[in-house]
Amino acid sequence: EEFNELLRKQLAERLTESGHEAVVPILSPSFKMGRSEQYGMASSWSERHAAYAAGLGTFGLCDGLITPVGKAMRVGSVVAHVQLPPTPRPYDDPHAYCLYYSQGICGQCIPRCPVGALSEAGHDKKKCRAHLGVTSKYVRSEYGFEGYGCGLCQTGVPCESKIPTKADL
Protein backbone atom coordinates (compact mmCIF):
# COMPACT_ATOMS: atom_id res chain seq x y z
CA GLU A 1 0.00 0.00 0.00
CA GLU A 2 2.95 2.35 0.56
CA PHE A 3 3.84 1.97 -3.12
CA ASN A 4 0.20 2.50 -4.08
CA GLU A 5 0.13 5.75 -2.07
CA LEU A 6 3.31 7.03 -3.72
CA LEU A 7 1.97 6.15 -7.16
CA ARG A 8 -1.33 7.99 -6.52
CA LYS A 9 0.52 11.07 -5.22
CA GLN A 10 2.87 11.13 -8.21
CA LEU A 11 0.03 10.78 -10.71
CA ALA A 12 -1.93 13.59 -9.04
CA GLU A 13 1.19 15.80 -9.08
CA ARG A 14 1.83 15.12 -12.78
CA LEU A 15 -1.78 15.87 -13.66
CA THR A 16 -1.68 19.10 -11.64
CA GLU A 17 1.61 20.10 -13.32
CA SER A 18 -0.12 19.50 -16.67
CA GLY A 19 -2.87 21.95 -15.76
CA HIS A 20 -5.52 19.51 -14.49
CA GLU A 21 -6.93 19.75 -11.00
CA ALA A 22 -6.31 16.40 -9.28
CA VAL A 23 -6.75 14.93 -5.82
CA VAL A 24 -6.09 11.61 -4.10
CA PRO A 25 -9.33 11.26 -2.12
CA ILE A 26 -8.14 8.63 0.32
CA LEU A 27 -5.13 10.80 1.24
CA SER A 28 -7.16 14.02 1.44
CA PRO A 29 -7.78 15.71 4.79
CA SER A 30 -11.51 15.32 4.06
CA PHE A 31 -11.21 11.50 4.04
CA LYS A 32 -13.02 10.06 7.05
CA MET A 33 -13.76 6.62 8.46
CA GLY A 34 -16.53 5.95 10.92
CA ARG A 35 -19.70 4.10 11.73
CA SER A 36 -22.83 4.29 9.64
CA GLU A 37 -26.21 3.14 10.97
CA GLN A 38 -26.99 1.57 7.62
CA TYR A 39 -23.56 0.11 6.66
CA GLY A 40 -21.60 -0.32 9.89
CA MET A 41 -17.98 0.62 9.22
CA ALA A 42 -17.95 3.12 6.37
CA SER A 43 -15.74 5.80 4.86
CA SER A 44 -16.13 8.93 2.81
CA TRP A 45 -14.23 7.32 -0.08
CA SER A 46 -13.79 3.76 -1.28
CA GLU A 47 -11.16 2.69 -3.78
CA ARG A 48 -13.24 -0.38 -4.66
CA HIS A 49 -16.37 1.68 -5.29
CA ALA A 50 -14.40 4.14 -7.42
CA ALA A 51 -13.09 1.20 -9.46
CA TYR A 52 -16.63 -0.14 -9.82
CA ALA A 53 -17.85 3.29 -10.97
CA ALA A 54 -14.99 3.37 -13.48
CA GLY A 55 -16.18 0.08 -14.97
CA LEU A 56 -13.35 -2.10 -13.67
CA GLY A 57 -15.38 -4.82 -11.94
CA THR A 58 -18.25 -5.87 -9.66
CA PHE A 59 -18.54 -6.89 -6.02
CA GLY A 60 -18.39 -10.39 -4.61
CA LEU A 61 -19.90 -11.96 -1.51
CA CYS A 62 -16.93 -10.82 0.63
CA ASP A 63 -17.26 -7.27 -0.78
CA GLY A 64 -14.04 -7.67 -2.78
CA LEU A 65 -14.02 -6.24 -6.31
CA ILE A 66 -13.94 -8.98 -8.94
CA THR A 67 -12.13 -7.68 -12.03
CA PRO A 68 -11.04 -9.38 -15.27
CA VAL A 69 -7.78 -10.19 -13.43
CA GLY A 70 -9.64 -11.38 -10.33
CA LYS A 71 -10.08 -9.93 -6.87
CA ALA A 72 -6.67 -10.67 -5.36
CA MET A 73 -5.41 -7.21 -6.27
CA ARG A 74 -5.11 -3.63 -5.01
CA VAL A 75 -6.58 -0.50 -6.55
CA GLY A 76 -5.94 3.16 -6.02
CA SER A 77 -7.64 6.23 -7.39
CA VAL A 78 -6.92 9.77 -8.41
CA VAL A 79 -9.81 12.06 -9.25
CA ALA A 80 -8.98 14.67 -11.85
CA HIS A 81 -10.77 17.33 -13.83
CA VAL A 82 -9.99 15.84 -17.25
CA GLN A 83 -12.34 15.23 -20.17
CA LEU A 84 -12.14 11.54 -21.15
CA PRO A 85 -14.49 9.26 -23.07
CA PRO A 86 -16.42 6.94 -20.73
CA THR A 87 -15.29 3.36 -20.30
CA PRO A 88 -18.07 1.01 -21.46
CA ARG A 89 -19.33 -1.23 -18.66
CA PRO A 90 -19.96 -4.85 -19.65
CA TYR A 91 -22.37 -5.21 -16.69
CA ASP A 92 -25.38 -3.50 -15.16
CA ASP A 93 -25.52 -5.42 -11.87
CA PRO A 94 -23.04 -4.48 -9.10
CA HIS A 95 -22.63 -8.22 -8.35
CA ALA A 96 -22.59 -9.56 -11.93
CA TYR A 97 -19.19 -11.29 -11.69
CA CYS A 98 -19.93 -13.09 -8.39
CA LEU A 99 -21.27 -16.58 -9.05
CA TYR A 100 -22.98 -16.66 -5.68
CA TYR A 101 -24.96 -13.48 -6.30
CA SER A 102 -25.52 -13.93 -10.04
CA GLN A 103 -26.27 -17.68 -10.17
CA GLY A 104 -26.74 -18.82 -6.57
CA ILE A 105 -23.69 -21.08 -6.75
CA CYS A 106 -20.13 -20.99 -5.35
CA GLY A 107 -19.65 -19.32 -1.95
CA GLN A 108 -16.14 -20.78 -1.78
CA CYS A 109 -14.95 -17.63 0.00
CA ILE A 110 -17.16 -18.40 3.03
CA PRO A 111 -15.07 -21.22 4.54
CA ARG A 112 -11.83 -19.37 3.70
CA CYS A 113 -12.51 -16.78 6.42
CA PRO A 114 -10.72 -17.76 9.64
CA VAL A 115 -13.08 -15.72 11.84
CA GLY A 116 -16.46 -16.47 10.26
CA ALA A 117 -16.94 -12.97 8.88
CA LEU A 118 -18.51 -14.37 5.70
CA SER A 119 -21.82 -16.16 5.30
CA GLU A 120 -24.57 -16.49 2.74
CA ALA A 121 -25.89 -13.21 4.19
CA GLY A 122 -22.66 -11.44 3.15
CA HIS A 123 -19.68 -9.81 4.83
CA ASP A 124 -19.65 -9.00 8.55
CA LYS A 125 -17.42 -5.91 8.54
CA LYS A 126 -17.17 -5.82 12.33
CA LYS A 127 -15.77 -9.36 12.63
CA CYS A 128 -13.46 -8.77 9.67
CA ARG A 129 -12.12 -5.51 11.08
CA ALA A 130 -11.44 -7.10 14.48
CA HIS A 131 -9.35 -9.77 12.74
CA LEU A 132 -7.39 -7.10 10.84
CA GLY A 133 -6.31 -5.73 14.24
CA VAL A 134 -4.71 -9.11 14.92
CA THR A 135 -3.07 -9.35 11.49
CA SER A 136 -1.61 -5.83 11.73
CA LYS A 137 0.28 -6.83 14.90
CA TYR A 138 1.61 -9.91 13.12
CA VAL A 139 2.72 -7.91 10.06
CA ARG A 140 4.49 -5.40 12.31
CA SER A 141 6.32 -8.07 14.35
CA GLU A 142 7.17 -10.45 11.50
CA TYR A 143 7.79 -8.08 8.60
CA GLY A 144 8.70 -4.81 10.30
CA PHE A 145 6.25 -2.40 8.70
CA GLU A 146 2.86 -0.92 9.41
CA GLY A 147 0.31 -2.83 7.43
CA TYR A 148 -2.64 -5.08 7.78
CA GLY A 149 -4.39 -7.65 5.78
CA CYS A 150 -5.80 -11.08 5.60
CA GLY A 151 -7.18 -11.61 2.11
CA LEU A 152 -7.83 -15.33 2.57
CA CYS A 153 -11.34 -14.82 1.17
CA GLN A 154 -9.74 -13.47 -2.01
CA THR A 155 -7.32 -16.33 -2.62
CA GLY A 156 -7.88 -20.00 -3.37
CA VAL A 157 -11.30 -19.17 -4.86
CA PRO A 158 -12.59 -19.22 -8.46
CA CYS A 159 -12.55 -15.40 -8.69
CA GLU A 160 -8.98 -15.02 -7.39
CA SER A 161 -7.43 -14.29 -10.78
CA LYS A 162 -10.32 -13.87 -13.24
CA ILE A 163 -14.05 -13.45 -13.67
CA PRO A 164 -15.22 -16.93 -12.68
CA THR A 165 -17.50 -19.23 -14.65
CA LYS A 166 -19.52 -22.29 -13.66
CA ALA A 167 -16.73 -24.46 -15.06
CA ASP A 168 -14.34 -23.09 -12.40
CA LEU A 169 -16.27 -24.75 -9.56
Side-chain angles (χ1 to χ4, degrees):
E1 188 56 21
E2 288 178 38
F3 175 78
N4 201 348
E5 283 186 16
L6 291 171
L7 184 59
R8 284 179 272 201
K9 286 179 184 176
Q10 186 172 54
L11 179 57
E13 287 171 11
R14 296 295 174 265
L15 285 164
T16 300
E17 288 168 3
S18 298
H20 305 285
E21 294 175 286
V23 65
V24 180
I26 203 162
L27 300 177
S28 164
S30 61
F31 175 76
K32 305 268 187 282
M33 288 190 72
R35 296 209 46 79
S36 159
E37 277 189 44
Q38 186 174 0
Y39 301 108
M41 283 303 297
S43 62
S44 57
W45 185 261
S46 165
E47 301 290 19
R48 291 176 300 110
H49 287 84
Y52 167 77
L56 300 180
T58 72
F59 299 100
L61 185 60
C62 72
D63 287 337
L65 189 75
I66 303 170
T67 72
V69 295
K71 68 178 176 177
M73 54 81 189
R74 299 288 299 176
V75 293
S77 61
V78 173
V79 175
H81 190 218
V82 179
Q83 188 71 29
L84 297 170
T87 302
R89 283 197 193 107
Y91 50 80
D92 57 7
D93 177 346
H95 298 106
Y97 296 162
C98 177
L99 292 175
Y100 181 80
Y101 282 129
S102 65
Q103 298 179 39
I105 58 175
C106 192
Q108 289 186 21
C109 55
I110 295 171
R112 300 277 301 148
C113 181
V115 295
L118 292 176
S119 70
E120 292 178 357
H123 176 214
D124 183 326
K125 291 181 184 180
K126 191 173 181 179
K127 280 185 183 178
C128 184
R129 185 148 181 94
H131 182 59
L132 293 180
V134 172
T135 62
S136 67
K137 290 176 187 170
Y138 180 81
V139 168
R140 190 179 314 113
S141 70
E142 295 298 313
Y143 299 105
F145 69 91
E146 293 298 319
Y148 65 91
C150 174
L152 291 175
C153 60
Q154 298 185 33
T155 60
V157 292
C159 54
E160 175 181 13
S161 60
K162 65 180 190 163
I163 299 168
T165 65
K166 223 179 207 180
D168 297 318
L169 299 179

